[in-house]
Amino acid sequence: MKALKITRYGDINTSLAFGEASVPIPGTGEVLIRIHAASINPIDLMVMRGDMKAVKKLDLPVGIGRDLSGVVVSVGGGVTAYQPGDEVFARVGEDHVGTLSHFLSVDASHLARKPKNLTHEEAASIPLVSLTSYQALIQVAGLKKGERVLIHAGSGGIGSVAVQLAKAYGAYVITTTSSANVEWVRELGADQVIDYKKENYLDLLSDIDVVYDTLGGQYTLDAFKVLKRGGRVVSISGVLDPQTAREFGIGWLLRKLLRLKARSVMKAAKEKTALYRMVIMEANGSQLEELGSLCRDNIISPVIDKIYPFEQSLEALSYLETGRAKGKVIVSMGESANA
Ligand SMILES: NC(=O)c1ccc[n+]([C@@H]2O[C@H](COP(=O)([O-])OP(=O)(O)OC[C@H]3O[C@@H](n4cnc5c(N)ncnc54)[C@H](OP(=O)(O)O)[C@@H]3O)[C@@H](O)[C@H]2O)c1
């Protein structure tokens, strides 16, 4: 079988190589999947570039890709929930990364049944972005019916699912995007779409209950300018708050440095008696099962920008790297799913 691997830290053209490997044998609690489609995410590029080295140094070469949709080939000891032939999808755990591959053994607890109304390409677009947004908006921010939520970058992989999820939970959804994306983002269900090329959201918004900060940098600090007193800012791109750093098992020295970096954000949160949390998403099969049922009921629909054949994975990653994707970028195994 063929797999794309990160062979050294660096950029797309120098770090990645296709290689031949033997089909893995699933261990206890694992399931072997024949992958039909994978989706790629900014984290894949960050790991490739070595941006996460301080948190976790990898023993290269390693696989790349965290989202998959495919069919169960065989199961390891102790797995009773799945059997050969089942169609599944997943955001695989960090110990099983490598979905840009023909086959992958994954932890059974990270799998969910693929919604039958979705193609493999559509299903592969869902796991990482929907789990992240569920964990940020629902689990951490506790978004409630009728609350006003600002979701930055409604046209991105994350934003396009987050808008739909927040609507499903009954929120009033405000989102930002550039002029070319305004209309289709509105069609996803957003109540208010701000064209950031023409308007400054800081002039338009106040008293927001929840800000979902998908952009980081100045956007994290500015979130508190539009937030109501006692509101919540959940970030997936901002600075690590002390609680999340502790929960993530980051060593004390790095935690100390991060605490300094987060100082102005934590101060802004305190001044608004607000919650600030950085969310680092985790693979979770049972949450994905629930998100899959929202897809089955057409409450969440996949938003796919481009589909690339497996052989063009580098082109797919280069497109994602432009930061201009409209929804998700998919890699399809197509015919090679039968390799
Ligand atoms: N912490 C976690 O666990 C976690 C999990 C998933 C993702 N993330 C992070 O979340 C971020 C978003 O991920 P993604 O998958 O959505 O990335 P993406 O798909 O690459 O995002 C691209 C989108 O961002 C929009 N955008 C860029 N600048 C913007 C701005 N100033 N205002 C509004 N929209 C803007 C672009 O729209 P326009 O072309 O219209 O500008 C484009 O549609 C990444 O930084 C990623 O690393 C973190």
Side-chain angles (χ1 to χ4, degrees), residues 62-88:
V62 294
I64 183 166
R66 287 157 172 77
D67 278 330
L68 65 77
S69 179
V71 176
V72 173
V73 178
S74 60
V75 300
V79 177
T80 52
Y82 297 100
Q83 47 189 314
D86 287 348
E87 290 192 322
V88 290

Side-chain angles (χ1 to χ4, degrees), residues 297-317:
D297 296 343
N298 297 312
I299 292 168
I300 290 180
S301 299
V303 180
I304 293 179
D305 185 344
K306 286 181 194 279
I307 302 178
Y308 291 83
F310 182 37
E311 296 70 24
Q312 289 177 22
S313 297
L314 270 55
E315 285 85 343
L317 287 158

Side-chain angles (χ1 to χ4, degrees), residues 189-200:
D191 298 287
Q192 187 177 348
V193 183
I194 299 173
D195 178 349
Y196 74 82
K197 297 271 186 196
K198 294 186 182 151
E199 296 170 306
N200 184 349

